Amino acid sequence: MRVHILGSGGREHAIGWAFSQQGYEVHFYPGNAGTKRDGTNHPYEGEKTIKGISDEDVIIPGSEEYLVEGVANWKSNVFGPIKEVARLEGSKVFAKRFMKKYGIRTARFEVAETPEELKEKIKKFSPPYVIKADGLARGKGVLILDSEEEAIEKGSKLITGELIKGVKGPVVIDEYLEGDELSAMAIVNGRDFVILPFVRDYKRLLDNDRGPNTGGMGSWGPVSVSQETVSKIEELFDKTLWGVEKEGYTYRGFLYLGLMLHDGDPYILEYNVRLGDPETEVIVVLNPEAFVNAVLEGYRGGRMEAIRPNGFAVDVVLASKGYPDNPEKGKEITLPEDGLIFFAGVAEKDGKLVTAGGRVLHCMGSGATREEARKKAYELAERVQFEGKMYRRDIAS
């Protein structure tokens, strides 16, 4: 069996690395300048590419847009949900209405389809105001604002398409919940699932959770979660998969719950129908063999075993100057000869590695303790050189 991974970021490199470590032949579509160290890169041409892959192989979409586009509808050997189910991530409105329909714990919400409706419905909420774009917005579709006036202004522009290029349509107004955020990810086949080790990620650009939201500036795991909370999270997964079944579908692939632990209970903030980034990088490093085995058992409908972490892992993301709004590109990268690094926004030009995106590299550290893993990740981050290199200094501190 060969493994075909769709995407070009650090998450996809990490998944491919885990499979290559176990001796599998790995192919990336389109991949990046680093993925070809662990497999072969190919151009991605949509349905033509997917239908050209052997039925004997497995296809793993790394990123949500492939699933929302319908790759799992084109071929039965895709490890991911069909596009009708991928609406759980592809449409915030669909997801919230789905949760309400099946009694799944989530924040109180309203849907606004026009600026006039937004102005009227926002009065049912108190600050801070949370407004979410309905469709995919590459991590930029959530606004958290203290002023009602600003919430109406920016929310209206989100509806009309003036705020984020290529993003327009209805919005969800969510009640703001205080608490601790937690990512819960599982490998799923039908109603069966196994929860992956819990990982903490850091969304804000700057230390102490300051600055703009990003795709994620680093992560660490495993995070210790009480058995009582785990049981409540399992119930959320179970109810979600029961709801999918009631809608007439089967879920196979990865399922991610973005949670808020509020007053002792986990609430679902959002669904993702794929693995998180940068959480994946940490999960695969914790136990690559167990990760691969669990994915393949989930794909085949076999018995999935829980992943037992080998110590701790830390991911420090190196970003380009100007990220997230306008990252600099084309800066030459110098790498150390040793250490585990997953590539994201990296290209090759005239035989040299150069920056080609906002998040450039994921510097990984592992060890028997969190402190040891953290030390290794930061030592590696310091040895990487490129002009405008940015990273947080408080990951896993």
Side-chain angles (χ1 to χ4, degrees), residues 107-108 122 124-132 142-152 172-179 204 260:
R108 182 173 63 86
I122 208 159
K124 298 180 182 180
F125 298 84
S126 53
Y129 301 98
V130 182
I131 299 173
K132 298 177 177 179
V142 179
L143 306 175
I144 302 174
L145 302 161
D146 290 316
S147 148
E148 183 181 323
E149 197 176 288
E150 192 183 5
I152 292 167
V172 170
I173 312 161
D174 244 346
E175 180 182 23
Y176 181 82
L177 295 176
E178 288 275 3
R204 298 277 186 175
M260 181 65 78

Side-chain angles (χ1 to χ4, degrees), residues 362-384:
H362 297 256
C363 297
M364 307 304 300
S366 59
T369 64
R370 179 168 40 148
E371 291 70 27
E372 185 188 345
R374 182 175 192 271
K375 185 168 180 274
K376 286 181 182 175
Y378 274 103
E379 282 173 356
L380 189 55
E382 282 157 23
R383 287 159 59 209
V384 175

Side-chain angles (χ1 to χ4, degrees), residues 15-91:
I15 295 168
W17 170 83
F19 275 92
S20 72
Q21 291 288 300
Q22 305 311 309
Y24 287 89
E25 185 184 314
V26 180
H27 297 266
F28 296 94
Y29 306 81
N32 60 45
T35 54
K36 63 183 186 181
R37 298 176 175 208
D38 292 294
T40 308
N41 289 353
H42 306 270
Y44 178 71
E45 299 175 296
E47 195 168 354
K48 180 184 170 187
T49 295
I50 301 303
K51 291 197 167 167
I53 293 171
S54 167
D55 292 343
E56 304 300 313
D57 298 347
V58 60
I59 302 166
I60 302 175
S63 183
E64 63 279 6
E65 61 260 30
Y66 300 102
L67 292 159
V68 172
E69 185 185 17
V71 288
N73 299 65
W74 302 335
K75 198 95 165 170
S76 63
N77 56 335
V78 172
F79 190 59
I82 60 172
K83 71 177 179 183
E84 290 80 2
V85 178
R87 282 189 299 165
L88 286 172
E89 178 166 4
S91 168

